[in-house]
Amino acid sequence: MIPRRVGLGPRSLPGLRAPSSFNPIFTPRYHPAYHPRWKQPVWTPRAWESTTTGDGKTGHIDAAPNESILWIDNLFPLKLSGLLLSPWRSPDEDIPELMKRFENSTLGALNPINMVKRAIPSTISVKIKEILPRLKDGGVFVKFSYPSNVKAADIETAVTKYLKEKPVRPLFSPLRRVQAGLVHGVPWLEDLHRFPKGRLRVEFVPKNPGEEAVELSQETLFSLFRRYGKIAEISSQPWDSKVLPKFAYIDFGFVRDAIMARNCLHGFVVPEQQGGGKSGTRLRMSYEPRARPHRVWDWMTNHPRIVIPILVALLTGLTVVIFDPIRSFFVKAHVTHKFRLSSSRIYRWLRKQTSDILSFRREKAEHAGLDAVWTHRKDLIDQIQKWLMETAETFIVVQGPRGSGKKELVLDQALKGRHNILVIDCKPIVEARGESATIKQMASAVGYRPIFSYANSLSSMADLAVQSTTGVKAGFSETLESQLQKILQTTAGALTDIGVSNRSKSDSDASLPTDAYLEAHPEKRPVVVIDNFLHKGSSNAIIYDKVAEWAANLVQSNVAHVIFLTNDASYSKSLSKSLPDRIFRQAALGDLSPDVAKNFILSHISSDDGPQLNTDEDSDKPNEKEPQPRIQPDLTELDQCIGTLGGRLTDLEFLARRLKAGQAPKQAVSEITEQSASEILKMFLLPGKSTSDGEHKWSVEQAWYLVKQLASNETLRYNEVLLHGAFSASSTAPDGEAALEGLANTELVTVRSANGRPAHLAAGKPVYQAAFGLLARDAALAAKMDLAVLKELAREEARTIEKAEAELTLLAGLPRQPAQTAGRVTYLLTKVDAAQKKIEGYEAEMGKLKKVLASEY
């Protein structure tokens, strides 16, 4: 027995290999006149007892003289190759068991061994020596012996013709018949996890080690492999490839054709007359995964300018379809308070039942004090409620200084008992740092969720990467303006649904469109309250513009009533951009009058009158505590203190709490004034408080000038202040009007208008008037700040002299002194003289101030 090994030298095995004169391509066909002496094929009992890797698990089949191997295909389904993946069990143990099941089955003609018998005609004289099943290849190797006067090629021809005349078709593949082919090479029986593919990698190796192999042409490869099935493509190795050994790819139309070609021609030596070179070229084959043509993916990657906008549109559409209904649902729940605990019936019932037990004295005092204020402002509350019942397409604007009770008046009184109220506070939105935080705050204000604020940064990075590689902006990222627009549009849609949520089909006007229905029923529209509008003046104008534009769309479409709460008296500039042809309905809140302020404080105090516990240690019964009436505070100086404190609601409430604590009115007002003076000192007068960051453009010297002047005057002329050197000649804040606007936004002063123009300046709060006087009476502080103002004025006069001297130097450099320059020279000299006198006067005053600083603490 001579073994067949892969990669070793040739074996001259009679019958297994054709003689040298045998051409495997041009094999003699079976001729009817040629009748060899056939015998009935003999089946040996050890047919199914060998392993899948050959005798001794060597990976080859032993063949004796006058023995050949026949490959019979399509006996097993290729899907059974998954049985070989069990790592804990050898496939050799599975094959005999599987074959026994086949033998013991009742399939009859469909039994694999019966199909092998049916595939070999009974008229040929062969003896079956061994059958080696190849489960993952879907067939078997049949080793047979034949008489010496018969050629193996004739046996192959007879078997092939027989299978064409009487095809054998397995049950699992009724459209493909069993095929057979003579093995011309050296088959490699391996049990590796390499499964059949439709592509073969054919390597050209030398017949013997040390010899030279020849790369076969595509024509030669076609003539060798075409007989086993339809070939889709033959790909030769690139000419500049340095990979050895040389190879070629052969793509078959069917996997079973590739299996038959590999099992029949693996190890076959191509002779010289077939183009295999002088010493012959051996074919070594393996399965190669075929690269699937991803035409769609290739087209997408090669056309990013078309694909990326389409992907963006698809992602946008997907977002709209999935997330917009969810966000609209959460906005509705936020406006209607549907899922709030305080809106449930059980909570309201428990609160009603326990109101006497859990009521707090402080709440009673606050309500009692505010009742006096609401009684005073009853006409204004009724007016706002009347406006909400009308169909006018305009805004309701409630303007007043901070602490005047705008929000409480609107939400607690004008909208009392009304449902579907949306409150948007602009303060946290404007003060948010960065676009992501701004978007998050806006979404939180309207109940818009889920919100992926971090996704904007990731989208911007992706957009930048795509733009740098393709040159086209992908559009993944969105601007702050577009994202705010998206949030507000979703909110508007949710408000529309809320307005018509109680609409019934039985109503007489049920057939009206949505906008017409809401126009006819203004009481069913939701109310949008926009608080702290223009909180920081013109900073972050994009937010205020978007909110005003969205609010204008709401009122023009009859979707909702919109109420603006603002501290800025110049709100009409911003709102007129959105509604230029409408007149706003305005409600101005100011400080309370002295009588109302006094009633407010007295209501606070009287509502808290209750029995007090006696803790006198000298009592006859120290263990018993008797209730004693509260000692009433001395209110003889209350009128004078209210005049000093003013009518600002927050300051009056602060005073009432101090009076209830037992302080005298004069002492309480004194402490409030000192606290306000400390706030002014920290915010405006300490060094380094001059800013020019777009929000405030003022200097310490300008703030001190206003403090000093308002300490002795209740009002100042607006234009007169602008003409003073602290504003007209400032080097740190040269724009005087911008400085006054910044100081007004920080509530140091209040700008009062006359005929639509700024006319007067007053203290930002009534209590600031007294605080200004307290700061001005501080000799050391006044001397320090006056010294800073005089230095600023002296620097400005020095710059004036420097400019005049530079011009005089230029005139003196002329070759002749024209008579026309005499007037200019006189003017410049006079200006220099006046500036010098001012500097001397400033320095004299600075000398006095320095003495004060040296003597005062």
Side-chain angles (χ1 to χ4, degrees):
M1 302 292 288
I2 303 177
R4 290 186 169 189
R5 293 185 175 87
V6 179
L8 300 179
R11 300 287 185 268
S12 35
L13 300 176
L16 188 58
R17 288 184 181 274
S20 60
S21 61
F22 171 69
N23 190 337
I25 300 174
F26 302 98
T27 55
R29 296 186 177 180
Y30 175 78
H31 196 275
Y34 178 70
H35 296 284
R37 285 176 287 180
W38 304 111
K39 295 183 180 180
Q40 182 74 17
V42 180
W43 300 86
T44 60
R46 63 183 299 269
W48 294 104
E49 294 178 0
S50 62
T51 66
T52 61
T53 56
D55 296 336
K57 299 184 180 181
T58 57
H60 60 268
I61 306 174
D62 295 332
N66 292 336
E67 288 184 352
S68 284
I69 303 173
L70 195 68
W71 169 255
I72 300 179
D73 189 27
N74 203 22
L75 295 179
F76 308 107
L78 294 179
K79 299 298 182 180
L80 290 180
S81 58
L83 296 175
L84 304 179
L85 293 176
S86 301
W88 58 85
R89 189 175 183 183
S90 173
D92 294 334
E93 300 176 5
D94 296 333
I95 296 299
E97 182 65 25
L98 184 61
M99 294 304 102
K100 289 179 181 179
R101 293 182 182 180
F102 278 132
E103 290 178 357
N104 297 330
S105 66
T106 58
L107 293 178
L110 299 179
N111 196 315
I113 192 169
N114 289 334
M115 286 192 290
V116 174
K117 293 178 180 180
R118 292 168 56 193
I120 300 177
S122 59
T123 56
I124 60 175
S125 178
V126 295
K127 184 178 181 180
I128 306 302
K129 293 291 188 179
E130 189 175 2
I131 298 178
L132 282 81
R134 296 289 296 168
L135 191 61
K136 69 177 181 178
D137 289 340
V140 297
F141 285 105
V142 178
K143 185 170 68 173
F144 62 93
S145 61
Y146 52 91
S148 59
N149 58 345
V150 179
K151 295 181 179 180
D154 297 336
I155 298 175
E156 179 189 17
T157 303
V159 173
T160 303
K161 182 180 179 181
Y162 179 77
L163 289 176
K164 287 182 180 180
E165 295 175 352
K166 297 181 180 181
V168 178
R169 302 181 187 276
L171 181 62
F172 60 85
S173 180
L175 300 180
R176 184 181 176 91
R177 58 186 176 84
V178 173
Q179 295 180 351
L182 187 65
V183 177
H184 299 289
V186 182
W188 182 24
L189 308 182
E190 42 81 19
D191 57 353
L192 305 175
H193 287 182
R194 300 177 183 177
F195 299 99
K197 306 291 180 183
R199 166 176 283 196
L200 289 180
R201 177 188 173 102
V202 182
E203 297 179 352
F204 311 113
V205 296
K207 180 179 178 181
N208 296 314
E211 296 180 353
E212 184 178 357
V214 177
E215 183 179 3
L216 301 183
S217 63
Q218 293 186 2
E219 292 85 349
T220 304
L221 292 173
F222 181 84
S223 62
L224 288 172
F225 287 88
R226 178 60 182 86
R227 60 183 302 183
Y228 298 107
K230 177 66 177 177
I231 297 177
E233 182 62 44
I234 299 177
S235 303
S236 300
Q237 187 177 7
W239 63 272
D240 57 346
S241 177
K242 305 298 183 183
V243 178
L244 294 177
K246 295 291 185 178
F247 64 90
Y249 289 121
I250 300 179
D251 295 328
F252 284 88
F254 297 96
V255 177
R256 288 194 178 272
D257 296 341
I259 294 172
M260 178 168 283
R262 180 180 181 271
N263 289 330
C264 292
L265 291 182
H266 181 82
F268 173 68
V269 178
V270 181
E272 182 180 2
Q273 59 270 25
Q274 296 298 322
K278 184 179 296 186
S279 59
T281 300
R282 187 182 300 278
L283 303 181
R284 187 167 64 192
M285 285 174 276
S286 60
Y287 298 114
E288 189 78 12
R290 183 181 300 177
R292 297 183 179 179
H294 302 284
R295 296 180 180 178
V296 177
W297 176 255
D298 293 341
W299 185 88
M300 293 174 61
T301 55
N302 293 329
H303 299 80
R305 298 187 179 185
I306 301 175
V307 174
I308 291 177
I310 294 176
L311 289 177
V312 173
L314 291 176
L315 290 175
T316 304
L318 185 64
T319 302
V320 171
V321 171
I322 296 178
F323 289 107
D324 276 14
I326 300 175
R327 290 163 175 166
S328 179
F329 170 79
F330 279 111
V331 172
K332 294 177 186 177
H334 179 78
V335 176
T336 58
H337 301 167
K338 186 175 181 180
F339 299 106
R340 286 192 180 181
L341 180 61
S342 58
S343 300
S344 65
R345 295 182 179 179
I346 298 177
Y347 176 83
R348 286 181 291 180
W349 180 82
L350 288 174
R351 185 174 181 179
K352 183 178 180 181
Q353 298 298 323
T354 59
S355 59
D356 297 335
I357 303 174
L358 301 178
S359 61
F360 293 97
R361 190 175 300 169
R362 179 177 176 181
E363 290 185 7
K364 290 183 178 180
E366 290 179 356
H367 287 298
L370 290 174
D371 287 342
V373 179
W374 305 145
T375 303
H376 175 68
R377 294 175 174 175
K378 186 70 168 60
D379 295 340
L380 187 58
I381 295 171
D382 293 341
Q383 184 63 47
I384 295 175
Q385 291 176 344
K386 187 183 298 181
W387 286 339
L388 293 175
M389 298 303 294
E390 297 177 358
T391 59
E393 299 175 357
T394 186
F395 299 137
I396 300 174
V397 183
V398 180
Q399 188 273 332
R402 294 176 185 172
S404 57
K406 301 183 297 297
K407 189 173 182 180
E408 292 79 3
L409 182 138
V410 172
L411 295 179
D412 298 341
Q413 299 300 316
L415 300 178
K416 186 176 182 180
R418 193 177 183 108
H419 302 287
N420 303 331
I421 301 172
L422 174 62
V423 181
I424 300 178
D425 192 355
C426 295
K427 182 178 179 181
I429 301 173
V430 174
E431 293 180 348
R433 296 184 179 180
E435 293 187 359
S436 299
T438 302
I439 296 168
K440 187 176 181 180
Q441 290 294 337
M442 175 61 79
S444 176
V446 299
Y448 181 90
R449 60 178 64 89
I451 179 69
F452 308 107
S453 56
Y454 62 88
N456 189 38
S457 301
L458 299 179
S459 300
S460 300
M461 296 174 61
D463 201 358
L464 182 61
V466 172
Q467 186 176 3
S468 61
T469 54
T470 63
V472 179
K473 190 172 183 179
F476 288 117
S477 61
E478 293 180 321
T479 61
L480 174 63
E481 183 177 357
S482 63
Q483 296 193 61
L484 291 177
Q485 184 71 22
K486 184 187 299 184
I487 294 174
L488 295 176
Q489 284 180 353
T490 304
T491 306
L495 292 175
T496 304
D497 296 339
I498 292 173
V500 298
S501 59
N502 295 327
R503 187 177 182 179
S504 176
K505 294 182 179 180
S506 60
D507 295 341
S508 59
D509 52 1
S511 59
L512 291 176
T514 301
D515 55 347
Y517 177 81
L518 292 175
E519 183 179 4
H521 298 276
E523 72 281 356
K524 294 186 178 181
R525 301 182 205 168
V527 179
V528 179
V529 180
I530 301 176
D531 192 16
N532 287 318
F533 186 70
L534 299 177
H535 168 64
K536 289 191 175 183
S538 59
S539 62
N540 291 322
I542 182 175
I543 297 176
Y544 295 126
D545 291 344
K546 279 297 174 185
V547 171
E549 181 182 353
W550 172 70
N553 293 331
L554 292 181
V555 297
Q556 288 178 339
S557 302
N558 297 313
V559 173
H561 300 285
V562 179
I563 302 177
F564 284 94
L565 308 180
T566 180
N567 308 322
D568 198 334
S570 60
Y571 61 86
S572 58
K573 296 180 182 179
S574 179
L575 295 180
S576 296
K577 297 178 184 178
S578 304
L579 286 178
D581 55 346
R582 297 288 191 277
I583 298 176
F584 307 134
R585 294 181 169 176
Q586 307 173 12
L589 294 182
D591 295 331
L592 300 177
S593 62
D595 294 337
V596 178
K598 184 176 181 180
N599 291 333
F600 174 78
I601 294 176
L602 293 177
S603 300
H604 257 280
I605 297 174
S606 61
S607 63
D608 203 23
D609 289 342
Q612 299 295 316
L613 297 178
N614 182 15
T615 58
D616 189 3
E617 296 180 358
D618 298 333
S619 176
D620 297 337
K621 297 180 180 180
N623 295 330
E624 296 182 4
K625 298 180 180 180
E626 299 178 357
Q628 296 292 336
R630 174 184 291 275
I631 300 176
Q632 292 288 342
D634 186 7
L635 302 179
T636 55
E637 301 175 349
L638 184 60
D639 293 338
Q640 180 182 357
C641 293
I642 289 177
T644 303
L645 196 61
R648 190 64 54 88
L649 194 60
T650 52
D651 294 336
L652 292 175
E653 187 176 0
F654 194 23
L655 174 62
R657 291 176 182 175
R658 286 179 173 272
L659 293 179
K660 286 191 294 184
Q663 288 186 339
K666 196 170 184 179
Q667 180 186 2
V669 171
S670 177
E671 292 183 2
I672 293 174
T673 304
E674 290 177 359
Q675 184 177 355
S676 300
S678 300
E679 293 177 358
I680 295 171
L681 183 64
K682 293 178 181 179
M683 292 178 61
F684 300 99
L685 302 181
L686 290 181
K689 289 299 180 181
S690 58
T691 62
S692 59
D693 56 357
E695 297 181 4
H696 313 302
K697 295 180 180 179
W698 46 267
S699 64
V700 173
E701 293 78 13
Q702 293 170 341
W704 170 250
Y705 173 77
L706 294 176
V707 168
K708 185 177 180 181
Q709 295 299 318
L710 289 173
S712 55
N713 303 289
E714 291 187 359
T715 60
L716 299 175
R717 297 183 183 90
Y718 185 84
N719 294 323
E720 183 182 1
V721 172
L722 290 178
L723 293 175
H724 189 268
F727 288 87
S728 62
S730 176
S731 59
T732 55
D735 191 348
E737 292 192 7
L740 288 177
E741 183 180 359
L743 291 170
N745 290 334
T746 55
E747 292 190 340
L748 179 68
V749 294
T750 299
V751 180
R752 297 176 181 175
S753 301
N755 298 326
R757 62 174 179 82
H760 303 282
L761 292 174
K765 293 181 179 181
V767 71
Y768 278 3
Q769 188 75 33
F772 290 163
L774 184 62
L775 293 173
R777 291 191 296 270
D778 188 343
L781 177 63
K784 179 181 177 182
M785 300 310 301
D786 287 341
L787 184 62
V789 173
L790 292 175
K791 287 181 179 179
E792 182 70 22
L793 296 176
R795 282 195 294 268
E796 179 60 24
E797 297 300 330
R799 285 193 292 270
T800 302
I801 294 175
E802 184 179 355
K803 293 179 182 178
E805 289 177 346
E807 188 172 353
L808 288 172
T809 303
L810 180 62
L811 294 174
L814 296 175
R816 294 182 181 181
Q817 296 295 328
Q820 292 81 359
T821 61
R824 183 65 179 174
V825 171
T826 303
Y827 168 76
L828 292 174
L829 292 175
T830 304
K831 195 172 184 180
V832 170
D833 181 62
Q836 180 60 31
K837 289 180 179 179
K838 289 182 180 179
I839 291 176
E840 292 175 357
Y842 294 155
E843 289 182 350
E845 293 182 14
M846 285 190 286
K848 296 178 182 179
L849 294 175
K850 290 179 181 179
K851 292 181 180 179
V852 174
L853 291 175
S855 60
E856 294 289 340
Y857 289 98

